[in-house]
Amino acid sequence: MSRRWIQNPNRCADEYLDGIEEFIEFARRHNPGATRIRCPCRRCNNTLWETIENVGFHLVRNGMIETYNIWNLHREQLDNTSSSNATRVDNVEPIMDPNEQVMDIINDAFPFASTNINQEGEHDVPTPMDNAEFVQYEQLLKSANQELYPGCESFSVLTAIVELMHGKIKYRMSNLCFNYFLGVFKRMLLTDNCLPKDNRQVQKVLNGLRLGYKKIHACKNNCMLFYKEYETLDTCPICKESRFKMTSQNRTTKIPKKVMRYLPLKSRLHRLYMSNHTATDMRWHKEKRVDDDVMWHLADREAWKEFNQTFPKFADDPRNVRLGLATNKFNPYGVLNQHHNTWPIFVFPYNFPPWKCMKKEYVI
């Protein structure tokens, strides 16, 4: 059966629905006994694992990746007669265990943590990590190797946390609701289980992945930030307003009047190059984009081309990051407070292909 249905924009057409049934039947036949497979919809992009039923639903709702004509990630082998230049794929990627996926996440976050063995059998010296990074790596490794409860082989502590957090984000679960279900799951398991009891403990474990935020104290009147050379000041040098709230003398910690939460940009851009999947996509705008005089991507615009001519050294390396920035204020309290508004800043990595660069997963 022809796979031209993948290119069909009408996902309600009989051709498209029949094609989805063909794919689902193919996945069942080539992955016997599997409860989850890679989802090739445009949103999951073969990086997320879903049940076979959910994969069919995703393909109707989101559409299949248009370039995924050979289903090699679902154990299809290339036929030598189908293309004169095609080579037979014997070593297809096996279905990965969730625990192995979690280990891949750790290896992506700490790519230089383990040593490599060269041909002479000697250990290469890894790039050194500072003490804080090494402690984070050891804690994550311990959680990844620790059984959720004695005798549990399918889930480690870190695997369970990652699965639960994925569900929390996917279904927009509040922290209060998440804490409730964590408590229920913890009571359901054996008494000596190691599942965290609330969201705060979960965040402590996941902090090792280094995607947190920094708290920077700010002046109450928005004059300045108590940052770098002003970090030790207790009053604003512009309006002379106190940095901290008035508290009782018995309190040991000071409470700032206003706090700005900053999400460091460098660590998030580094993360895009730590994974093989996203590192390839970050070079898509130059290595895989088709220049056919049709505007498919921002790289097809005159402004992008003019920038490349103005800064040719920057344009020569496709790994250099092109960012779009957007911001606008809103009042989180509606009409109840006319004197307060918030200014979130969103950063979009335009290196990605057009079906990814505006997805919420990649918005910073």
Side-chain angles (χ1 to χ4, degrees), residues 38-64:
R38 290 181 182 271
C39 180
C41 77
R42 296 177 184 175
R43 184 181 183 87
C44 298
N45 197 37
N46 273 326
T47 59
L48 300 181
W49 296 70
E50 296 285 350
T51 62
I52 296 180
E53 291 75 14
N54 282 346
V55 168
F57 175 73
H58 282 201
L59 292 177
V60 175
R61 184 181 62 182
N62 304 323
M64 182 179 279

PDB file of all heavy atoms in Angstrom, residues 38-64:
ATOM      1  N   ARG A  38       7.059   3.932  20.114  1.00  0.00           N
ATOM      2  CA  ARG A  38       7.342   5.335  19.799  1.00  0.00           C
ATOM      3  C   ARG A  38       6.160   5.919  19.024  1.00  0.00           C
ATOM      4  O   ARG A  38       5.608   5.280  18.135  1.00  0.00           O
ATOM      5  CB  ARG A  38       8.609   5.455  18.953  1.00  0.00           C
ATOM      6  CG  ARG A  38       9.894   5.142  19.703  1.00  0.00           C
ATOM      7  CD  ARG A  38      11.072   5.309  18.773  1.00  0.00           C
ATOM      8  NE  ARG A  38      12.317   4.965  19.436  1.00  0.00           N
ATOM      9  CZ  ARG A  38      13.072   5.816  20.120  1.00  0.00           C
ATOM     10  NH1 ARG A  38      12.692   7.073  20.221  1.00  0.00           N
ATOM     11  NH2 ARG A  38      14.195   5.429  20.675  1.00  0.00           N
ATOM     12  N   CYS A  39       5.806   7.147  19.370  1.00  0.00           N
ATOM     13  CA  CYS A  39       4.694   7.816  18.693  1.00  0.00           C
ATOM     14  C   CYS A  39       5.252   8.708  17.583  1.00  0.00           C
ATOM     15  O   CYS A  39       6.002   9.655  17.865  1.00  0.00           O
ATOM     16  CB  CYS A  39       3.875   8.648  19.672  1.00  0.00           C
ATOM     17  SG  CYS A  39       2.480   9.492  18.892  1.00  0.00           S
ATOM     18  N   PRO A  40       4.910   8.421  16.287  1.00  0.00           N
ATOM     19  CA  PRO A  40       5.471   9.211  15.183  1.00  0.00           C
ATOM     20  C   PRO A  40       4.637  10.429  14.812  1.00  0.00           C
ATOM     21  O   PRO A  40       4.777  10.931  13.700  1.00  0.00           O
ATOM     22  CB  PRO A  40       5.487   8.186  14.039  1.00  0.00           C
ATOM     23  CG  PRO A  40       4.297   7.336  14.299  1.00  0.00           C
ATOM     24  CD  PRO A  40       4.130   7.278  15.798  1.00  0.00           C
ATOM     25  N   CYS A  41       3.785  10.900  15.715  1.00  0.00           N
ATOM     26  CA  CYS A  41       3.008  12.100  15.387  1.00  0.00           C
ATOM     27  C   CYS A  41       3.910  13.326  15.432  1.00  0.00           C
ATOM     28  O   CYS A  41       5.024  13.281  15.965  1.00  0.00           O
ATOM     29  CB  CYS A  41       1.827  12.255  16.347  1.00  0.00           C
ATOM     30  SG  CYS A  41       2.256  12.891  17.977  1.00  0.00           S
ATOM     31  N   ARG A  42       3.445  14.420  14.891  1.00  0.00           N
ATOM     32  CA  ARG A  42       4.277  15.630  14.796  1.00  0.00           C
ATOM     33  C   ARG A  42       4.602  16.215  16.157  1.00  0.00           C
ATOM     34  O   ARG A  42       5.591  16.930  16.301  1.00  0.00           O
ATOM     35  CB  ARG A  42       3.547  16.674  13.950  1.00  0.00           C
ATOM     36  CG  ARG A  42       3.334  16.254  12.508  1.00  0.00           C
ATOM     37  CD  ARG A  42       2.552  17.303  11.736  1.00  0.00           C
ATOM     38  NE  ARG A  42       2.257  16.859  10.387  1.00  0.00           N
ATOM     39  CZ  ARG A  42       1.510  17.547   9.524  1.00  0.00           C
ATOM     40  NH1 ARG A  42       0.977  18.705   9.905  1.00  0.00           N
ATOM     41  NH2 ARG A  42       1.284  17.084   8.316  1.00  0.00           N
ATOM     42  N   ARG A  43       3.803  15.909  17.137  1.00  0.00           N
ATOM     43  CA  ARG A  43       4.047  16.452  18.476  1.00  0.00           C
ATOM     44  C   ARG A  43       5.072  15.608  19.237  1.00  0.00           C
ATOM     45  O   ARG A  43       5.994  16.144  19.848  1.00  0.00           O
ATOM     46  CB  ARG A  43       2.733  16.515  19.257  1.00  0.00           C
ATOM     47  CG  ARG A  43       2.861  17.149  20.630  1.00  0.00           C
ATOM     48  CD  ARG A  43       1.507  17.150  21.337  1.00  0.00           C
ATOM     49  NE  ARG A  43       1.597  17.803  22.624  1.00  0.00           N
ATOM     50  CZ  ARG A  43       1.460  19.094  22.827  1.00  0.00           C
ATOM     51  NH1 ARG A  43       1.227  19.889  21.813  1.00  0.00           N
ATOM     52  NH2 ARG A  43       1.533  19.622  24.034  1.00  0.00           N
ATOM     53  N   CYS A  44       4.911  14.292  19.194  1.00  0.00           N
ATOM     54  CA  CYS A  44       5.824  13.400  19.930  1.00  0.00           C
ATOM     55  C   CYS A  44       7.126  13.163  19.168  1.00  0.00           C
ATOM     56  O   CYS A  44       8.173  12.917  19.783  1.00  0.00           O
ATOM     57  CB  CYS A  44       5.145  12.069  20.221  1.00  0.00           C
ATOM     58  SG  CYS A  44       3.663  12.210  21.263  1.00  0.00           S
ATOM     59  N   ASN A  45       7.085  13.185  17.820  1.00  0.00           N
ATOM     60  CA  ASN A  45       8.280  13.148  16.978  1.00  0.00           C
ATOM     61  C   ASN A  45       9.156  11.923  17.243  1.00  0.00           C
ATOM     62  O   ASN A  45      10.377  12.012  17.235  1.00  0.00           O
ATOM     63  CB  ASN A  45       9.091  14.434  17.163  1.00  0.00           C
ATOM     64  CG  ASN A  45      10.082  14.633  16.031  1.00  0.00           C
ATOM     65  OD1 ASN A  45       9.781  14.318  14.885  1.00  0.00           O
ATOM     66  ND2 ASN A  45      11.260  15.141  16.349  1.00  0.00           N
ATOM     67  N   ASN A  46       8.532  10.797  17.524  1.00  0.00           N
ATOM     68  CA  ASN A  46       9.260   9.538  17.754  1.00  0.00           C
ATOM     69  C   ASN A  46      10.190   9.589  18.960  1.00  0.00           C
ATOM     70  O   ASN A  46      11.104   8.773  19.075  1.00  0.00           O
ATOM     71  CB  ASN A  46      10.057   9.121  16.513  1.00  0.00           C
ATOM     72  CG  ASN A  46       9.233   8.301  15.553  1.00  0.00           C
ATOM     73  OD1 ASN A  46       8.375   7.518  15.960  1.00  0.00           O
ATOM     74  ND2 ASN A  46       9.472   8.478  14.255  1.00  0.00           N
ATOM     75  N   THR A  47      10.003  10.548  19.845  1.00  0.00           N
ATOM     76  CA  THR A  47      10.825  10.644  21.047  1.00  0.00           C
ATOM     77  C   THR A  47      10.061  10.231  22.301  1.00  0.00           C
ATOM     78  O   THR A  47      10.683   9.935  23.323  1.00  0.00           O
ATOM     79  CB  THR A  47      11.351  12.076  21.238  1.00  0.00           C
ATOM     80  OG1 THR A  47      10.250  12.979  21.336  1.00  0.00           O
ATOM     81  CG2 THR A  47      12.221  12.487  20.057  1.00  0.00           C
ATOM     82  N   LEU A  48       8.719  10.223  22.237  1.00  0.00           N
ATOM     83  CA  LEU A  48       7.902   9.839  23.382  1.00  0.00           C
ATOM     84  C   LEU A  48       7.262   8.484  23.116  1.00  0.00           C
ATOM     85  O   LEU A  48       6.965   8.130  21.974  1.00  0.00           O
ATOM     86  CB  LEU A  48       6.824  10.888  23.658  1.00  0.00           C
ATOM     87  CG  LEU A  48       7.312  12.294  23.985  1.00  0.00           C
ATOM     88  CD1 LEU A  48       6.134  13.215  24.246  1.00  0.00           C
ATOM     89  CD2 LEU A  48       8.249  12.286  25.181  1.00  0.00           C
ATOM     90  N   TRP A  49       7.055   7.734  24.184  1.00  0.00           N
ATOM     91  CA  TRP A  49       6.470   6.399  24.090  1.00  0.00           C
ATOM     92  C   TRP A  49       5.029   6.450  24.578  1.00  0.00           C
ATOM     93  O   TRP A  49       4.746   6.986  25.648  1.00  0.00           O
ATOM     94  CB  TRP A  49       7.290   5.406  24.928  1.00  0.00           C
ATOM     95  CG  TRP A  49       8.685   5.226  24.414  1.00  0.00           C
ATOM     96  CD1 TRP A  49       9.698   6.136  24.446  1.00  0.00           C
ATOM     97  CD2 TRP A  49       9.231   4.059  23.795  1.00  0.00           C
ATOM     98  NE1 TRP A  49      10.830   5.627  23.885  1.00  0.00           N
ATOM     99  CE2 TRP A  49      10.581   4.342  23.480  1.00  0.00           C
ATOM    100  CE3 TRP A  49       8.711   2.807  23.490  1.00  0.00           C
ATOM    101  CZ2 TRP A  49      11.413   3.412  22.870  1.00  0.00           C
ATOM    102  CZ3 TRP A  49       9.553   1.879  22.877  1.00  0.00           C
ATOM    103  CH2 TRP A  49      10.877   2.179  22.562  1.00  0.00           C
ATOM    104  N   GLU A  50       4.130   5.879  23.784  1.00  0.00           N
ATOM    105  CA  GLU A  50       2.714   5.861  24.126  1.00  0.00           C
ATOM    106  C   GLU A  50       2.154   4.459  23.883  1.00  0.00           C
ATOM    107  O   GLU A  50       2.770   3.637  23.195  1.00  0.00           O
ATOM    108  CB  GLU A  50       1.930   6.872  23.267  1.00  0.00           C
ATOM    109  CG  GLU A  50       2.308   8.328  23.482  1.00  0.00           C
ATOM    110  CD  GLU A  50       1.755   8.884  24.781  1.00  0.00           C
ATOM    111  OE1 GLU A  50       0.922   8.196  25.408  1.00  0.00           O
ATOM    112  OE2 GLU A  50       2.141  10.004  25.146  1.00  0.00           O
ATOM    113  N   THR A  51       0.985   4.184  24.460  1.00  0.00           N
ATOM    114  CA  THR A  51       0.307   2.940  24.149  1.00  0.00           C
ATOM    115  C   THR A  51      -0.110   2.956  22.676  1.00  0.00           C
ATOM    116  O   THR A  51      -0.258   4.028  22.078  1.00  0.00           O
ATOM    117  CB  THR A  51      -0.929   2.750  25.033  1.00  0.00           C
ATOM    118  OG1 THR A  51      -1.859   3.819  24.775  1.00  0.00           O
ATOM    119  CG2 THR A  51      -0.547   2.752  26.507  1.00  0.00           C
ATOM    120  N   ILE A  52      -0.296   1.782  22.094  1.00  0.00           N
ATOM    121  CA  ILE A  52      -0.630   1.705  20.675  1.00  0.00           C
ATOM    122  C   ILE A  52      -1.953   2.417  20.395  1.00  0.00           C
ATOM    123  O   ILE A  52      -2.113   3.081  19.364  1.00  0.00           O
ATOM    124  CB  ILE A  52      -0.675   0.232  20.233  1.00  0.00           C
ATOM    125  CG1 ILE A  52       0.723  -0.400  20.368  1.00  0.00           C
ATOM    126  CG2 ILE A  52      -1.171   0.097  18.795  1.00  0.00           C
ATOM    127  CD1 ILE A  52       0.797  -1.850  19.964  1.00  0.00           C
ATOM    128  N   GLU A  53      -2.903   2.323  21.324  1.00  0.00           N
ATOM    129  CA  GLU A  53      -4.184   3.011  21.132  1.00  0.00           C
ATOM    130  C   GLU A  53      -3.987   4.524  21.124  1.00  0.00           C
ATOM    131  O   GLU A  53      -4.584   5.237  20.299  1.00  0.00           O
ATOM    132  CB  GLU A  53      -5.173   2.609  22.236  1.00  0.00           C
ATOM    133  CG  GLU A  53      -5.650   1.157  22.159  1.00  0.00           C
ATOM    134  CD  GLU A  53      -4.593   0.163  22.620  1.00  0.00           C
ATOM    135  OE1 GLU A  53      -3.598   0.603  23.236  1.00  0.00           O
ATOM    136  OE2 GLU A  53      -4.761  -1.039  22.354  1.00  0.00           O
ATOM    137  N   ASN A  54      -3.166   5.035  22.037  1.00  0.00           N
ATOM    138  CA  ASN A  54      -2.919   6.480  22.080  1.00  0.00           C
ATOM    139  C   ASN A  54      -2.172   6.962  20.848  1.00  0.00           C
ATOM    140  O   ASN A  54      -2.373   8.098  20.393  1.00  0.00           O
ATOM    141  CB  ASN A  54      -2.133   6.849  23.338  1.00  0.00           C
ATOM    142  CG  ASN A  54      -3.007   6.882  24.576  1.00  0.00           C
ATOM    143  OD1 ASN A  54      -4.228   6.889  24.477  1.00  0.00           O
ATOM    144  ND2 ASN A  54      -2.385   6.890  25.741  1.00  0.00           N
ATOM    145  N   VAL A  55      -1.288   6.110  20.301  1.00  0.00           N
ATOM    146  CA  VAL A  55      -0.566   6.485  19.088  1.00  0.00           C
ATOM    147  C   VAL A  55      -1.545   6.720  17.943  1.00  0.00           C
ATOM    148  O   VAL A  55      -1.435   7.700  17.199  1.00  0.00           O
ATOM    149  CB  VAL A  55       0.467   5.400  18.718  1.00  0.00           C
ATOM    150  CG1 VAL A  55       1.013   5.629  17.309  1.00  0.00           C
ATOM    151  CG2 VAL A  55       1.609   5.387  19.710  1.00  0.00           C
ATOM    152  N   GLY A  56      -2.530   5.831  17.808  1.00  0.00           N
ATOM    153  CA  GLY A  56      -3.537   6.033  16.764  1.00  0.00           C
ATOM    154  C   GLY A  56      -4.309   7.326  16.954  1.00  0.00           C
ATOM    155  O   GLY A  56      -4.580   8.053  15.986  1.00  0.00           O
ATOM    156  N   PHE A  57      -4.643   7.645  18.202  1.00  0.00           N
ATOM    157  CA  PHE A  57      -5.348   8.897  18.489  1.00  0.00           C
ATOM    158  C   PHE A  57      -4.469  10.096  18.158  1.00  0.00           C
ATOM    159  O   PHE A  57      -4.938  11.085  17.572  1.00  0.00           O
ATOM    160  CB  PHE A  57      -5.763   8.916  19.960  1.00  0.00           C
ATOM    161  CG  PHE A  57      -6.384  10.208  20.401  1.00  0.00           C
ATOM    162  CD1 PHE A  57      -7.662  10.563  20.004  1.00  0.00           C
ATOM    163  CD2 PHE A  57      -5.677  11.083  21.215  1.00  0.00           C
ATOM    164  CE1 PHE A  57      -8.233  11.754  20.410  1.00  0.00           C
ATOM    165  CE2 PHE A  57      -6.233  12.282  21.614  1.00  0.00           C
ATOM    166  CZ  PHE A  57      -7.518  12.612  21.215  1.00  0.00           C
ATOM    167  N   HIS A  58      -3.180  10.039  18.523  1.00  0.00           N
ATOM    168  CA  HIS A  58      -2.261  11.144  18.235  1.00  0.00           C
ATOM    169  C   HIS A  58      -2.123  11.375  16.734  1.00  0.00           C
ATOM    170  O   HIS A  58      -2.025  12.525  16.272  1.00  0.00           O
ATOM    171  CB  HIS A  58      -0.890  10.846  18.845  1.00  0.00           C
ATOM    172  CG  HIS A  58      -0.830  11.095  20.317  1.00  0.00           C
ATOM    173  ND1 HIS A  58       0.350  11.314  21.003  1.00  0.00           N
ATOM    174  CD2 HIS A  58      -1.804  11.159  21.256  1.00  0.00           C
ATOM    175  CE1 HIS A  58       0.092  11.486  22.283  1.00  0.00           C
ATOM    176  NE2 HIS A  58      -1.211  11.395  22.454  1.00  0.00           N
ATOM    177  N   LEU A  59      -2.072  10.296  15.958  1.00  0.00           N
ATOM    178  CA  LEU A  59      -1.889  10.444  14.509  1.00  0.00           C
ATOM    179  C   LEU A  59      -3.087  11.117  13.869  1.00  0.00           C
ATOM    180  O   LEU A  59      -2.940  11.863  12.892  1.00  0.00           O
ATOM    181  CB  LEU A  59      -1.642   9.076  13.884  1.00  0.00           C
ATOM    182  CG  LEU A  59      -0.319   8.394  14.257  1.00  0.00           C
ATOM    183  CD1 LEU A  59      -0.221   7.013  13.630  1.00  0.00           C
ATOM    184  CD2 LEU A  59       0.868   9.248  13.829  1.00  0.00           C
ATOM    185  N   VAL A  60      -4.290  10.873  14.392  1.00  0.00           N
ATOM    186  CA  VAL A  60      -5.475  11.552  13.869  1.00  0.00           C
ATOM    187  C   VAL A  60      -5.473  13.013  14.288  1.00  0.00           C
ATOM    188  O   VAL A  60      -5.787  13.914  13.493  1.00  0.00           O
ATOM    189  CB  VAL A  60      -6.760  10.849  14.357  1.00  0.00           C
ATOM    190  CG1 VAL A  60      -7.993  11.626  13.923  1.00  0.00           C
ATOM    191  CG2 VAL A  60      -6.819   9.430  13.820  1.00  0.00           C
ATOM    192  N   ARG A  61      -5.090  13.280  15.518  1.00  0.00           N
ATOM    193  CA  ARG A  61      -5.161  14.649  16.036  1.00  0.00           C
ATOM    194  C   ARG A  61      -4.010  15.512  15.535  1.00  0.00           C
ATOM    195  O   ARG A  61      -4.217  16.671  15.140  1.00  0.00           O
ATOM    196  CB  ARG A  61      -5.143  14.624  17.568  1.00  0.00           C
ATOM    197  CG  ARG A  61      -5.300  15.994  18.211  1.00  0.00           C
ATOM    198  CD  ARG A  61      -5.249  15.898  19.714  1.00  0.00           C
ATOM    199  NE  ARG A  61      -3.963  15.394  20.179  1.00  0.00           N
ATOM    200  CZ  ARG A  61      -3.666  15.179  21.452  1.00  0.00           C
ATOM    201  NH1 ARG A  61      -4.594  15.373  22.379  1.00  0.00           N
ATOM    202  NH2 ARG A  61      -2.487  14.733  21.809  1.00  0.00           N
ATOM    203  N   ASN A  62      -2.786  14.974  15.536  1.00  0.00           N
ATOM    204  CA  ASN A  62      -1.607  15.794  15.233  1.00  0.00           C
ATOM    205  C   ASN A  62      -1.025  15.545  13.849  1.00  0.00           C
ATOM    206  O   ASN A  62      -0.297  16.390  13.338  1.00  0.00           O
ATOM    207  CB  ASN A  62      -0.505  15.535  16.273  1.00  0.00           C
ATOM    208  CG  ASN A  62      -0.976  15.765  17.689  1.00  0.00           C
ATOM    209  OD1 ASN A  62      -1.751  16.681  17.946  1.00  0.00           O
ATOM    210  ND2 ASN A  62      -0.530  14.944  18.621  1.00  0.00           N
ATOM    211  N   GLY A  63      -1.330  14.388  13.237  1.00  0.00           N
ATOM    212  CA  GLY A  63      -0.719  14.054  11.957  1.00  0.00           C
ATOM    213  C   GLY A  63       0.626  13.372  12.151  1.00  0.00           C
ATOM    214  O   GLY A  63       1.304  13.557  13.159  1.00  0.00           O
ATOM    215  N   MET A  64       1.016  12.574  11.156  1.00  0.00           N
ATOM    216  CA  MET A  64       2.300  11.870  11.232  1.00  0.00           C
ATOM    217  C   MET A  64       3.408  12.751  10.665  1.00  0.00           C
ATOM    218  O   MET A  64       3.160  13.614   9.813  1.00  0.00           O
ATOM    219  CB  MET A  64       2.226  10.548  10.453  1.00  0.00           C
ATOM    220  CG  MET A  64       3.512   9.726  10.529  1.00  0.00           C
ATOM    221  SD  MET A  64       3.438   8.151   9.640  1.00  0.00           S
ATOM    222  CE  MET A  64       2.576   7.144  10.830  1.00  0.00           C
TER     223      MET A  64
END
